[in-house]
Amino acid sequence: QVQLVESGGGLVQAGGSLRLSCAASGSIFSINAMSWYRQTPKKQRELVATIVYDGTTRYADSVKGRFTISRDNAKNTVYLQMNSLKPEDTAVYYCAAGIRVAPTSMMRDYWGQGTQVTVSS
């Protein structure tokens, strides 16, 4: 059984910072890409940032220069450092990871339960 558990959400004023963490645990053979998504009641879930095993990253245009994704492969953990936060960053943030549970198993996407980030103006 594989679990992804997020932490670090909360309430912050505009211009402030938050750091999200997401730890994967359980029967894990390998993890490929790890990503952060966000969703609001009015919008579809959108990709915020992705980092693959070799450290290559990709960001949504709306967060470039403000957010930084990183990972600790030894801890199976991905982080999202969010700076210069804006009210429009308010959303539930989800982490996702492509995980293989055995050498011959298929890569499968796993999701965390989500953590609320609220940015006040």
Side-chain angles (χ1 to χ4, degrees), residues 4-85:
L4 271 64
V5 178
E6 299 112 335
S7 60
L11 174 64
V12 65
Q13 287 190 332
S17 298
L18 282 175
R19 189 190 194 213
L20 305 182
S21 300
C22 173
S25 63
S27 178
I28 296 172
F29 174 74
S30 64
I31 302 177
N32 188 13
M34 302 186 83
S35 304
W36 289 96
Y37 289 77
R38 64 187 181 187
Q39 187 169 22
T40 68
K42 295 183 179 180
K43 286 186 178 180
Q44 288 185 331
R45 189 172 295 190
E46 64 169 345
L47 177 64
V48 176
T50 296
I51 183 168
V52 295
Y53 188 84
D54 66 0
T56 302
T57 58
R58 184 178 67 182
Y59 296 92
D61 288 342
S62 58
V63 307
K64 280 181 183 175
R66 301 188 297 121
F67 291 10
T68 302
I69 190 170
S70 61
R71 66 191 282 173
D72 184 333
N73 292 328
K75 296 181 179 179
N76 290 335
T77 299
V78 62
Y79 306 96
L80 186 68
Q81 178 67 44
M82 304 184 293
N83 299 329
S84 302
L85 282 160

